[in-house]
Amino acid sequence: MLHALYTASAPGKIILMGEHAVVYGRPAMAVPVHQVQATATLTVQDGASDLWIAATDLGQRTALSSAPPVNPLAQAVRLTLTFLQRAAPGGELSVHSTIPLAGGMGSGAAVSTAIGRALAAWAGQTIPAADLSALVYEVERLHHGTPSGIDNTVIAYGQPVWFVKGQPPQPFAIPHTFWLVIASTGIASPTRETVGDVRQSWLADPLRFEGLFDDIAGLVNAGRAAMLAGDWPRLGALFFQNQRLLAEMGVSAPILDRLVDAARLAGAFGAKLSGGGRGGNVIALVEPAAAETVADALRQAGAAAIFITPVSAGAARAALL
Ligand code: PMV
């Protein structure tokens, strides 16, 4: 017999500025993307003895009792239940996501966050963002070894985050909403490879690369000030400068350069690659009225998918249906 349905969601994320330099101790900023979502729906059934976890997009269905510890969905469930001090309910937990996989948009962290929130709704509890973020980080470690902590923080807080390696990530509120057009290349970003290449280049010419990282740090600091002031032309100009430095570091690609140029010609305030580079996404900062024009230009320049999203300090959502 159907007992109750609990559903919760979590946004994707995107790095705004500072990728790669962040590996060398410089700051980076990342923001939630509410246009794409992971959703977890828990159907509790009286008398059911196991909890089935269904990844509907992947066509996978696993019983919690027999899922191995390396199964990230089962691990998110187990860690959440431990936090809530509850035994697993019987029934089905189904997970669905519109966040592109392996695109640097935090799909794994968003799925874990949605699972945590759906189970908390069932237990009649709210998991504080800091605890949810720590829990999601533990799940992320299964895939990534030593994740930076950006994804879980941005997604669990649903807020922009200022991030410096080795320091606790700092969520911060943004007073003015702004709009991004995100253009996916459809090519998974080979982050491990680009991070390795940057390391080789840095070892070969540390002075030049330390200089590039310092320049990026200056742009990221200026970017935060522009964001807080709502100065979009300034923030856009900083995006273009950050892109130039990423290209100098060797992590751009012809498709990324083409998308950035298309956004510029279509009237974006600024554009840059986001994340590891060579694939993944380009972000363009736009006036809302220009979003469709820029999106069309990006499609014509070869974008495989486009998301138009406002960036604001959105609240976490968890609802009992
Ligand atoms: O594409 P993402 O979101 O996984 O970002 C990679 C960011 C890098 O700075 C290139 C690597 C890192 O670990 O910070």
Side-chain angles (χ1 to χ4, degrees):
M1 189 184 73
L2 186 73
H3 186 245
L5 201 63
Y6 304 86
T7 190
S9 61
K13 80 101 201 358
I14 198 113
I15 295 181
L16 275 192
M17 300 181 77
E19 52 276 273
H20 285 291
V22 73
V23 176
Y24 298 82
R26 275 62 165 195
M29 289 190 292
V31 296
V33 177
H34 295 278
Q35 186 66 25
V36 287
Q37 299 271 334
T39 308
T41 303
L42 173 65
T43 309
V44 177
Q45 280 170 314
D46 283 344
S49 60
D50 212 332
L51 180 65
W52 287 86
I53 305 172
T56 52
D57 309 312
L58 307 175
Q60 290 170 2
R61 200 161 177 274
T62 320
L64 179 64
S65 61
S66 58
V70 292
N71 180 321
L73 304 180
Q75 201 55 12
V77 170
R78 290 187 183 116
L79 290 170
T80 305
L81 290 171
T82 302
F83 181 88
L84 297 169
Q85 299 186 302
R86 297 287 292 261
E92 180 166 300
L93 178 70
S94 80
V95 173
H96 162 68
S97 171
T98 58
I99 305 170
L101 283 171
M105 292 186 74
S107 59
V111 165
S112 300
T113 302
I115 288 175
R117 287 187 179 141
L119 287 167
W122 157 74
Q125 300 182 35
T126 305
I127 305 178
D131 294 308
L132 188 54
S133 176
L135 194 153
V136 172
Y137 183 82
E138 282 309 305
V139 182
E140 288 289 282
R141 276 164 41 119
L142 285 177
H143 316 268
H144 303 304
T146 51
S148 63
I150 292 184
D151 287 18
N152 51 289
T153 308
V154 174
I155 290 167
Y157 282 83
Q159 263 191 303
V161 166
W162 178 261
F163 189 85
V164 178
K165 194 173 155 182
Q167 297 179 13
Q170 295 170 30
F172 65 98
I174 45 171
H176 315 279
T177 298
F178 60 91
W179 287 78
L180 291 179
V181 180
I182 302 171
S184 166
T185 59
I187 304 162
S189 173
T191 299
R192 215 173 276 249
E193 182 186 304
T194 54
V195 168
D197 289 355
V198 170
R199 181 156 301 269
Q200 290 307 318
S201 307
W202 172 72
L203 287 169
D205 195 349
L207 267 183
R208 173 160 169 261
F209 271 72
E210 286 293 328
L212 287 168
F213 300 149
D214 283 341
D215 290 348
I216 289 176
L219 300 179
V220 178
N221 276 293
R224 175 157 74 168
M227 205 195 292
L228 295 178
D231 187 346
W232 312 132
R234 170 90 178 123
L235 182 59
L238 294 163
F239 273 22
F240 283 136
Q241 289 172 41
N242 195 163
Q243 168 64 23
R244 258 198 304 279
L245 297 177
L246 287 162
E248 274 188 47
M249 284 163 51
V251 298
S252 195
I255 176 69
L256 296 170
D257 295 339
R258 210 160 53 238
L259 291 171
V260 169
D261 286 345
R264 186 199 320 267
L265 289 171
F269 291 124
K272 62 182 281 296
L273 71 84
S274 168
R278 303 236 176 103
N281 303 292
V282 161
I283 53 172
L285 177 67
V286 296
E287 238 162 355
E292 284 300 340
T293 310
V294 172
D296 282 344
L298 288 165
R299 272 187 210 103
Q300 275 166 30
I306 299 279
F307 309 98
I308 300 174
T309 187
V311 178
S312 53
R317 273 185 290 160
L320 171 61
L321 290 184

